[in-house]
Amino acid sequence: MLIHLSSWPEIDAALKSGHALSSTVIVPIGSNEQHGPTGLLGTDWLCPEIIAHAAEKGEEALIVAPTFNIGMAQHHLAFPGTITLRPSTFMAAIGDWVASLTRHGFERIYFLNGHGGNVATIEAAFAEIYAEWSYAEDRADFALKLRNWWDLAGVTGLCNSIFPTGHGMHATPSEIAVTQAAYPDRIKTADYEPRIAPVGPIRDALDYRARFPDGRIGSDPAQASPEKGQRIIDAAVPALLKDVADFAAEVLPGT
Ligand code: NI
């Protein structure tokens, strides 16, 4: 079930159903930021949303929250359309999402992430949330998990085999391909120069734009295609379902 397309009695009933997945919720999380001259600004939140929604189509007991679509993108701010939060804002918002979902009885919250730049701050947010329980000498009655979609079993291997060169770190052909599979009428093309973008450190927004003028890092998105994207989605969906089922079945000590 998708929470945003459900009514509250439906979510209430799901929580009380006793199904193995009934107290687990997936939160697709990403960032709205430039992805080179052809990549959609939403790429990093669209990819986890596309995979989570495809998984929900095959397993209707899977509960998926609305997508948390703004994250850590300060270094992309020199490109129009990018929207970012400060790390402190992001952490506070994650805390409020978790508090809202656990209030209703969700005991496992699984963040399916689409942006590498979010990882450190999501982990820090988890530590902030757990710290309140630790200080109180109490145990949290919920568990949190972070999984990057490309770290789902078999996905990175598949991406590397499809794109042995020019995968890169930002505006990668694999993430562009996933969005092309879901939104084929939004595919854009460009003459990439150089074909494979440069690599380097990530600092502030003006430094980034000077180092990476069209926004890409190390990638050649011209290799992307909807067919390749669909292969990646088809590999990610069963891996996600298995990962979520394992998380839902995990025994929490003291419960
Ligand atoms: Ni990305």
Side-chain angles (χ1 to χ4, degrees), residues 149-161 231-232 235-236 239:
W149 68 262
W150 55 85
D151 288 329
L152 290 166
V155 172
T156 289
L158 175 64
C159 293
N160 289 339
S161 73
R231 284 177 62 195
I232 296 168

Side-chain angles (χ1 to χ4, degrees), residues 95 98-99 102-103 106 125-144:
V98 168
T102 56
R103 184 193 189 285
F106 287 106
F126 287 4
E128 282 278 0
I129 292 164
Y130 288 136
E132 294 306 318
W133 297 83
S134 301
Y135 284 129
E137 203 177 344
D138 198 355
R139 62 169 306 282
D141 51 3
F142 56 85
L144 308 171

Side-chain angles (χ1 to χ4, degrees), residues 5-103:
L5 297 181
S6 304
S7 64
W8 73 258
E10 289 177 301
I11 300 300
D12 193 43
L15 279 162
K16 292 171 178 160
S17 70
H19 189 283
L21 294 175
S22 66
S23 62
T24 300
V25 59
I26 299 181
V27 181
I29 190 166
S31 177
N32 198 88
E33 60 183 49
Q34 70 81 18
H35 269 74
T38 58
L40 307 182
L41 279 143
T43 297
D44 282 358
W45 62 263
L46 286 168
C47 288
E49 180 179 280
I50 290 162
I51 292 163
H53 287 198
E56 186 267 347
K57 277 204 166 63
E59 171 52 88
E60 61 184 25
L62 195 70
I63 302 174
V64 182
T67 301
F68 193 138
N69 59 12
I70 305 296
M72 298 292 91
Q74 63 80 21
H75 49 293
H76 294 297
L77 277 177
F79 298 87
T82 297
I83 304 171
T84 191
L85 299 174
R86 288 178 170 80
S88 53
T89 315
F90 192 45
M91 289 168 64
I94 290 169
D96 288 352
W97 280 56
V98 168
S100 301
L101 292 165
T102 56
R103 184 193 189 285

